[in-house]
């Protein structure tokens, strides 16, 4: 049976943590969420503990404490795995992949994105699974393995087309256009950038439309 007193205190500390976030008092927020996590553990609330630790990891990630964030994300995985919560595990793996890619630990990031993709696919979250293919393409782009990048982006594009997600389709056309441009294939680059531009304008994303137009102008000059 859960310890209601510990659970109530955990909620109070979590509320305090959110209050500290509003004032950008990140150290105080981390302390509050850490205590909330400890109390959730004491109350036998594994899901609550995982949630509090996930918030801590996200704070660390956002404030540049990357090593600490990675450690906490892995703690969250250890909490979640016994319960086989595939969607939450996949979400954590996605965040680990993003963090590792920022640290330029590309091989580890690729493995994390691959696990996230499999997890999202297993629980029917097809859009999130497709997003992992895009992430994997970007890793290959950063490593300048352009053929692999094109392969992943193309797979992501086909999945988003099946779901008719216009802005996601545009993102992949822009990604593919960038790779062609980097490889010196101007015509293919322009073709994909122009497809992306049309879709961004249709979806009302003016910022991405402007960025894509700049890429088109650069290739045309």
């Amino acid at each position: 049976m859960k310890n209601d007193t510990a659970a109530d205190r955990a909620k109070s500390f979590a509320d305090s943590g959110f209050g500290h976030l509003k004032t950008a008092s990140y150290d105080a927020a981390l302390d509050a969420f850490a205590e909330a996590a400890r109390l959730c553990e004491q109350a036998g609330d594994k899901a609550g503990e995982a949630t509090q630790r996930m918030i801590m990891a996200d704070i660390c990630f956002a404030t540049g404490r990357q090593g600490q964030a990675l450690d906490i994300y892995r703690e969250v995985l250890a909490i979640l795995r016994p319960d086989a919560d595939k969607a939450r595990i996949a979400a954590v793996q996605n965040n680990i992949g993003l963090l590792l890619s920022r640290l330029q630990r590309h091989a580890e990031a690729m493995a994390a994105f691959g696990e996230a993709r499999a997890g999202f696919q297993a629980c029917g979250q097809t859009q999130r699974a497709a997003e992992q293919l895009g992430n994997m393409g970007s890793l290959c782009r950063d490593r300048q393995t352009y053929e692999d990048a094109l392969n992943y982006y193309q797979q992501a594009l086909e999945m988003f087309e099946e779901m008719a997600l216009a802005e996601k389709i545009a993102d992949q056309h822009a990604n593919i256009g960038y790779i062609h441009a980097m490889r010196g294939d101007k015509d293919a680059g322009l073709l994909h950038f122009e497809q992306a531009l049309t879709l961004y304008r249709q979806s009302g994303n003016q910022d991405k439309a402007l960025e894509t137009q700049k890429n088109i102008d650069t290739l045309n000059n």
Side-chain angles (χ1 to χ4, degrees):
M1 180 179 295
K2 291 183 179 180
N3 183 329
D4 289 336
T5 301
D8 290 343
R9 291 174 61 206
K11 183 180 184 305
S12 177
F13 274 101
D15 290 342
S16 174
F18 286 118
H20 289 307
L21 284 180
K22 290 179 180 178
T23 61
S25 303
Y26 298 118
D27 289 339
L30 283 170
D31 288 343
F33 287 120
E35 183 61 13
R38 187 190 71 78
L39 289 163
C40 284
E41 181 181 16
Q42 180 180 327
D45 181 3
K46 289 292 186 182
E49 182 188 359
T51 296
Q52 302 307 318
R53 294 196 183 282
M54 192 73 173
I55 295 169
M56 293 169 63
D58 290 344
I59 293 170
C60 291
F61 194 174
T63 57
R65 311 175 203 203
Q66 296 167 339
Q68 189 175 354
L70 183 58
D71 288 343
I72 300 172
Y73 282 136
R74 286 174 170 162
E75 289 176 4
V76 173
L77 280 183
I79 295 168
L80 291 175
R81 278 188 168 130
D83 295 328
D85 188 337
K86 290 184 175 60
R88 291 193 75 185
I89 289 170
V92 179
Q93 289 287 11
N94 170 74
N95 287 2
I96 288 174
L98 293 172
L99 177 54
L100 288 168
S101 63
R102 183 176 293 184
L103 293 171
Q104 298 186 355
R105 291 163 59 174
H106 295 135
E108 294 172 80
M110 184 68 77
F113 287 137
E115 290 186 37
R117 178 194 173 199
F120 285 129
Q121 199 74 50
C123 58
Q125 295 192 19
T126 308
Q127 179 178 333
R128 296 299 306 275
E131 289 168 357
Q132 304 312 305
L133 288 167
N135 289 335
M136 294 161 85
S138 295
L139 280 176
C140 293
R141 177 202 63 204
D142 293 344
R143 299 175 74 175
Q144 299 183 350
T145 54
Y146 294 137
E147 197 63 37
D148 289 337
L150 282 175
N151 181 45
Y152 284 120
Y153 286 145
Q154 185 64 39
Q155 290 182 65
L157 174 62
E158 291 170 3
M159 290 182 71
F160 288 131
E161 285 177 335
E162 289 179 4
M163 291 178 273
L165 297 173
E167 194 163 330
K168 295 289 186 180
I169 294 168
D171 288 341
Q172 298 314 310
H173 276 301
N175 287 334
I176 292 170
Y178 178 82
I179 297 299
H180 283 305
M182 291 297 293
R183 298 173 74 182
D185 191 341
K186 174 182 174 180
D187 290 342
L190 283 171
L191 175 64
H192 285 282
F193 280 134
E194 286 166 358
Q195 289 176 288
L197 179 60
T198 297
L199 290 167
Y200 284 138
R201 284 174 172 168
Q202 288 175 352
S203 62
N205 192 324
Q206 297 305 315
D207 290 339
K208 287 188 176 181
L210 179 60
E211 180 182 349
T212 304
Q213 184 64 62
K214 288 179 180 177
N215 288 330
I216 290 171
D217 292 344
T218 298
L219 284 179
N220 279 326
N221 290 331

